[in-house]
Amino acid sequence: MRFSPELAEKRFGCGLSPDVAAPADPDQMLAGLAGPDTMADSFPIEDFDTFRLRMIENAAVWKMMRKTRGTDEFAQHKKKRDLLNKQARFDKEEWYAQTLARWTRTQTGFRERLAAFWADHFTASGKQGLVRRATSPYVESAIRPHLAGKFEDLLIAAVTHPIMLMYLDQMQAMGPNSKAGLKSKRKRGLNENLACEVLELHTLGVDGGYTQEDVRQMAELLTGVTFSAKKGQYFSPDRAEPGKETVIGRAYGDEPPTMEPVYQALRDLAQHPDTARHIAWKLAVHFVADEPDAGMVAGMELRFLETGGDLPEVYAAMLDHPAAWDPVLHNVKPPFDFMASACRALAVDPGKLTDMRRGVRTSTLLAPMQLMGQTWQSPPGPDGWPEEDEAWITPQGVSARLRWAMIVPGNLRRDLPDPRDFVGQALGSDIPDAVRFAAMAAEHRMDGVGLVLASPAFQRR
Amino acid sequence: MTSTLSRRAFLTRSAVIGCSAAASPLLTPVSLAAAPWDMRLVVIILRGGMDGLDAVRPLGDPEFATWRPTLSTARDKQDPDLNGFFGLHPALASVHPLWQAGELSFVHAASTPYRVKRSHFDGQDLLEAGTISMAGVRDGWLNRTLQQVPGIEMRTAFALGRGDQKVLLGPAQVSDWVPGADMEISPQAIRLAERIMEDDPEFHAAFSEALMLSEEVDSPATGAPAYRSLRQDMSEISGKSAHVRISQYAADRLREETRVVSFSLNGWDTHNNQKRTLGPALNRLSTSILTLKDGLGPDIWQKTAIVAMTEFGRTVRQNGTGGTDHGTGGAMVLAGGAIRGGHVFGDWPGLEEADLYARRDLMPTTDVRAPAAWIIRAMTGLDRSTLERTVFPGLEMGADRGYLA
């Protein structure tokens, strides 16, 4: 079991492309992460600070609506609010297309894969109104810049991000004994949601060594971390529970309260051996197999601990392990990855994706993806999309994938490749006989291309 | 819309071409506005290799029944007769009245210059390229036709449906249109899909269940609209599906400034159980023709030529699974008021084993490009040498068999 460029591009990248060379070795994959993010430049997605300007404008419009309720002026403000919402809804789809375009053209497929992995690990989205459209800006600002750095920086960026604070109800939380808490008429207090997910999902893992008391103390520590459209994320001492909080045996807290102890607690959690084990295991499951090689996971875990959670080192430990290069393809691509890697294999012109009319984009991409079981940026919960292959290989899912593969490529490219060539472009040198036969025996190009894409050999990686 | 300019252009051209002016006596101002001629051409590519011997059956050939013990040979009195020698497949019965009205003909034992390998893709490429080999070919013959005539505008020619319609591919301007989100999968593709899933137990189990669920699609328990089953998708083919909408759209356009339309019909690769699999494909073809006729209205129909052609015919001998394999000589379908109907054109090569191509296929006696060339000549007035050198390089058009009314 040795490195091969093809396998690297399939398993750790965005799939084979007829136009873009697969990485020559693991060093090149890692060097790509360290290099400039050219895809972000070529296919831009709004950053969160820019999105925040929309939120400020939106808040002002709402204020005017409240002020002018019952007057003639009201309608004009409402119209403006509707327009803001509509624009954001459209832009969310634009950013979907930009993401897809990045997958089709990137020379550092590993970055796109890691962006998707960490965005899922730190699942978050706005809950109502305009901010529901802010997931891509969140990923762009909080996840993408940190995926090749220290895990603790990524953790802090994601957990303290406004979208995460909103998603896990931190915005409403305040210390029961804080200034604001004592004044609050409605007896507002702690909300454990964020603390709970930080320990269970983001760091230690559900089997990690923490108790409900740790969750409560973490929740108290997090009070004061909040957000406003005008200021962005900030710390409100008035809301912070006074005193020390003890999380996993270490006491945190300043008097008066500040953000620093929160950062310190997150840094400590990021370095915890349980976190190392959890993250190593999850990366291995995501990239290699649902039941990953124990030796590989142990190696990654060790490297995590040795380097204080230096992510490229952890990735390197994975890529250096022979089990990463098991020629048997295990994992099933989730629907987005399936469709995006199909676009890449077909060398779809990115402009075709980004300039697509909205109705066409819905009917050819977003709606079929939903039929396959994945609604763009709407995972079922904070634990993100399932990693288990069985979640995707359902009769409905397989049927939807087949139908999409047989039909939509013809919309994405009028000049479809000859299936006998395409089978190699999409699958590389390892082509099952049945797929090679189907590519040859299909009665026209669309069927031939579709069958190649629908083959388990393409759907697994 | 520059009607005077176009009128002048048309009159100049019609003075030169004569015979197409006869086919287009009266022109409305609308048609003058955007199109350089008045005749309508619809090219239907039958992808997968139509079995010409089963569509247009040489029942009068004594050898036929020996090659096809269970296929194509049942002389049911109900089956439409053509001329005593040839009979129609029952799934084409709905277009038999067109035959009787002199608006439907066939060319039998026709083929492209493609030989030897019998690959769908190579065969279709050559069919659409209109050449003898694919060396250096970058455009399709319909596009090359358009390149030869002035006055081609945005909507003169349309490629309809998903995927590539290479026959119209090239530098001349062509519009395209795709009907809404249809989900058609041919039985042949389903069979191949089963085969590619077989090696992967998890995918295979899920796929088999999907097929099984599709049998129960009418039950409310499984009929949730979000999960339209495969069967449902397939059954749409006989309902008002893509080919009907495409034909309607084509007719709408052809009533206006559009003069050339091309689309594909799939599902002809009948390796298996041809008794069951060819009928639906022929139904789609006849429905498309009738939908076009209906949508065009009597006046435009009179000026319309529909040409349906396939990449190759199928083996003369039926195979071991009640189907036929890739062959050579096949059949073309010509329909429309501009066509001289009621004829099976082409020289019949016979079905004795020694008469067959490579002792297995119907021997081609007509180059599919020749009837197409004669029709284009009538439509555009292009001269024979342009047709034989540029549109269909290397073609010998031969004598005019009188394909047009």
Side-chain angles (χ1 to χ4, degrees), chain A residues 337-361:
Chain A
D337 301 30
F338 165 62
M339 297 165 86
S341 60
C343 291
R344 183 173 172 88
L346 286 162
V348 172
D349 174 9
K352 180 90 191 167
L353 301 167
T354 52
D355 303 339
M356 205 176 244
R357 281 189 295 118
R358 288 191 67 238
V360 176
R361 185 180 290 152

Short mmCIF file of all heavy atoms in Angstrom, two decimals, chain A residues 337-361:
data_model
loop_
_atom_site.label_atom_id
_atom_site.label_comp_id
_atom_site.label_asym_id
_atom_site.label_seq_id
_atom_site.Cartn_x
_atom_site.Cartn_y
_atom_site.Cartn_z
N ASP A 337 -19.99 16.13 -2.59
CA ASP A 337 -18.68 15.71 -3.08
C ASP A 337 -18.82 14.88 -4.36
O ASP A 337 -18.01 14.98 -5.28
CB ASP A 337 -17.96 14.87 -2.01
CG ASP A 337 -17.74 15.64 -0.72
OD1 ASP A 337 -18.58 16.52 -0.41
OD2 ASP A 337 -16.76 15.38 -0.01
N PHE A 338 -19.86 14.07 -4.39
CA PHE A 338 -20.14 13.27 -5.59
C PHE A 338 -20.36 14.18 -6.80
O PHE A 338 -19.75 14.02 -7.85
CB PHE A 338 -21.36 12.39 -5.33
CG PHE A 338 -21.96 11.77 -6.57
CD1 PHE A 338 -21.23 10.89 -7.34
CD2 PHE A 338 -23.27 12.07 -6.94
CE1 PHE A 338 -21.77 10.33 -8.49
CE2 PHE A 338 -23.82 11.50 -8.07
CZ PHE A 338 -23.08 10.63 -8.86
N MET A 339 -21.24 15.16 -6.62
CA MET A 339 -21.57 16.04 -7.74
C MET A 339 -20.38 16.91 -8.13
O MET A 339 -20.10 17.12 -9.31
CB MET A 339 -22.78 16.90 -7.39
CG MET A 339 -24.03 16.07 -7.14
SD MET A 339 -25.34 16.99 -6.31
CE MET A 339 -26.13 17.74 -7.70
N ALA A 340 -19.68 17.41 -7.09
CA ALA A 340 -18.55 18.29 -7.37
C ALA A 340 -17.43 17.52 -8.07
O ALA A 340 -16.81 18.01 -9.01
CB ALA A 340 -18.04 18.93 -6.08
N SER A 341 -17.18 16.29 -7.63
CA SER A 341 -16.11 15.52 -8.28
C SER A 341 -16.53 15.12 -9.69
O SER A 341 -15.69 14.96 -10.58
CB SER A 341 -15.73 14.29 -7.44
OG SER A 341 -16.83 13.44 -7.26
N ALA A 342 -17.84 14.96 -9.90
CA ALA A 342 -18.33 14.69 -11.26
C ALA A 342 -18.07 15.90 -12.16
O ALA A 342 -17.60 15.75 -13.29
CB ALA A 342 -19.81 14.34 -11.24
N CYS A 343 -18.36 17.09 -11.65
CA CYS A 343 -18.10 18.31 -12.43
C CYS A 343 -16.61 18.40 -12.76
O CYS A 343 -16.22 18.81 -13.85
CB CYS A 343 -18.52 19.56 -11.66
SG CYS A 343 -20.29 19.72 -11.48
N ARG A 344 -15.79 18.01 -11.79
CA ARG A 344 -14.33 18.06 -12.00
C ARG A 344 -13.90 17.04 -13.06
O ARG A 344 -13.13 17.36 -13.96
CB ARG A 344 -13.63 17.79 -10.68
CG ARG A 344 -12.11 17.87 -10.72
CD ARG A 344 -11.57 17.74 -9.31
NE ARG A 344 -10.13 17.62 -9.24
CZ ARG A 344 -9.28 18.64 -9.18
NH1 ARG A 344 -9.77 19.88 -9.19
NH2 ARG A 344 -7.99 18.45 -9.10
N ALA A 345 -14.43 15.83 -12.95
CA ALA A 345 -14.06 14.80 -13.93
C ALA A 345 -14.51 15.20 -15.33
O ALA A 345 -13.86 14.89 -16.32
CB ALA A 345 -14.67 13.46 -13.53
N LEU A 346 -15.66 15.89 -15.38
CA LEU A 346 -16.19 16.31 -16.68
C LEU A 346 -15.52 17.59 -17.18
O LEU A 346 -15.81 18.04 -18.29
CB LEU A 346 -17.70 16.57 -16.56
CG LEU A 346 -18.60 15.35 -16.44
CD1 LEU A 346 -19.96 15.74 -15.89
CD2 LEU A 346 -18.74 14.68 -17.80
N ALA A 347 -14.65 18.17 -16.35
CA ALA A 347 -14.01 19.44 -16.70
C ALA A 347 -15.06 20.48 -17.09
O ALA A 347 -14.94 21.18 -18.10
CB ALA A 347 -12.98 19.26 -17.80
N VAL A 348 -16.09 20.57 -16.27
CA VAL A 348 -17.14 21.55 -16.53
C VAL A 348 -16.53 22.95 -16.42
O VAL A 348 -15.77 23.22 -15.48
CB VAL A 348 -18.30 21.39 -15.53
CG1 VAL A 348 -19.31 22.52 -15.67
CG2 VAL A 348 -18.98 20.05 -15.71
N ASP A 349 -16.85 23.79 -17.36
CA ASP A 349 -16.37 25.17 -17.31
C ASP A 349 -16.94 25.85 -16.07
O ASP A 349 -18.15 25.90 -15.89
CB ASP A 349 -16.87 25.87 -18.59
CG ASP A 349 -16.56 27.36 -18.59
OD1 ASP A 349 -15.83 27.81 -17.70
OD2 ASP A 349 -17.06 28.04 -19.50
N PRO A 350 -16.07 26.38 -15.19
CA PRO A 350 -16.59 26.98 -13.96
C PRO A 350 -17.61 28.08 -14.23
O PRO A 350 -18.55 28.27 -13.46
CB PRO A 350 -15.34 27.56 -13.28
CG PRO A 350 -14.19 26.84 -13.88
CD PRO A 350 -14.60 26.42 -15.26
N GLY A 351 -17.41 28.79 -15.34
CA GLY A 351 -18.36 29.84 -15.68
C GLY A 351 -19.77 29.30 -15.90
O GLY A 351 -20.77 29.95 -15.61
N LYS A 352 -19.81 28.07 -16.38
CA LYS A 352 -21.11 27.43 -16.60
C LYS A 352 -21.83 27.26 -15.24
O LYS A 352 -23.05 27.38 -15.16
CB LYS A 352 -20.87 26.06 -17.25
CG LYS A 352 -22.10 25.26 -17.53
CD LYS A 352 -22.66 25.56 -18.89
CE LYS A 352 -24.05 24.94 -19.04
NZ LYS A 352 -24.77 25.45 -20.18
N LEU A 353 -21.04 27.00 -14.22
CA LEU A 353 -21.63 26.79 -12.88
C LEU A 353 -21.99 28.12 -12.23
O LEU A 353 -23.05 28.27 -11.62
CB LEU A 353 -20.64 26.04 -11.99
CG LEU A 353 -20.21 24.66 -12.49
CD1 LEU A 353 -19.02 24.15 -11.70
CD2 LEU A 353 -21.37 23.68 -12.38
N THR A 354 -21.07 29.09 -12.36
CA THR A 354 -21.29 30.34 -11.63
C THR A 354 -22.30 31.25 -12.33
O THR A 354 -22.94 32.06 -11.68
CB THR A 354 -19.96 31.08 -11.43
OG1 THR A 354 -19.31 31.22 -12.69
CG2 THR A 354 -19.04 30.33 -10.49
N ASP A 355 -22.42 31.12 -13.64
CA ASP A 355 -23.34 32.01 -14.36
C ASP A 355 -24.69 31.36 -14.65
O ASP A 355 -25.49 31.90 -15.40
CB ASP A 355 -22.72 32.46 -15.70
CG ASP A 355 -21.39 33.14 -15.48
OD1 ASP A 355 -21.16 33.62 -14.35
OD2 ASP A 355 -20.59 33.20 -16.42
N MET A 356 -24.90 30.19 -14.08
CA MET A 356 -26.14 29.46 -14.35
C MET A 356 -27.36 30.24 -13.86
O MET A 356 -27.31 30.88 -12.82
CB MET A 356 -26.04 28.15 -13.57
CG MET A 356 -26.83 27.03 -14.11
SD MET A 356 -26.45 25.57 -13.09
CE MET A 356 -25.69 24.53 -14.31
N ARG A 357 -28.43 30.17 -14.62
CA ARG A 357 -29.67 30.81 -14.14
C ARG A 357 -30.15 30.09 -12.89
O ARG A 357 -29.94 28.90 -12.73
CB ARG A 357 -30.75 30.76 -15.23
CG ARG A 357 -30.56 31.83 -16.29
CD ARG A 357 -31.76 31.90 -17.21
NE ARG A 357 -31.89 30.66 -17.98
CZ ARG A 357 -32.95 29.85 -17.90
NH1 ARG A 357 -33.96 30.15 -17.10
NH2 ARG A 357 -33.00 28.74 -18.61
N ARG A 358 -30.82 30.83 -12.02
CA ARG A 358 -31.19 30.27 -10.72
C ARG A 358 -32.07 29.03 -10.86
O ARG A 358 -31.87 28.03 -10.19
CB ARG A 358 -31.92 31.32 -9.87
CG ARG A 358 -31.00 32.42 -9.35
CD ARG A 358 -31.72 33.25 -8.32
NE ARG A 358 -31.99 32.47 -7.12
CZ ARG A 358 -33.19 32.27 -6.61
NH1 ARG A 358 -34.26 32.76 -7.20
NH2 ARG A 358 -33.34 31.57 -5.52
N GLY A 359 -33.07 29.12 -11.73
CA GLY A 359 -33.99 27.99 -11.87
C GLY A 359 -33.25 26.74 -12.34
O GLY A 359 -33.51 25.64 -11.86
N VAL A 360 -32.33 26.94 -13.23
CA VAL A 360 -31.56 25.81 -13.76
C VAL A 360 -30.66 25.24 -12.66
O VAL A 360 -30.51 24.04 -12.51
CB VAL A 360 -30.73 26.26 -14.98
CG1 VAL A 360 -29.85 25.13 -15.47
CG2 VAL A 360 -31.66 26.75 -16.08
N ARG A 361 -30.07 26.15 -11.88
CA ARG A 361 -29.19 25.70 -10.81
C ARG A 361 -29.98 24.86 -9.80
O ARG A 361 -29.52 23.83 -9.33
CB ARG A 361 -28.56 26.90 -10.12
CG ARG A 361 -27.53 26.53 -9.08
CD ARG A 361 -26.93 27.76 -8.43
NE ARG A 361 -26.09 28.48 -9.36
CZ ARG A 361 -25.87 29.80 -9.30
NH1 ARG A 361 -26.46 30.52 -8.37
NH2 ARG A 361 -25.09 30.38 -10.17
#
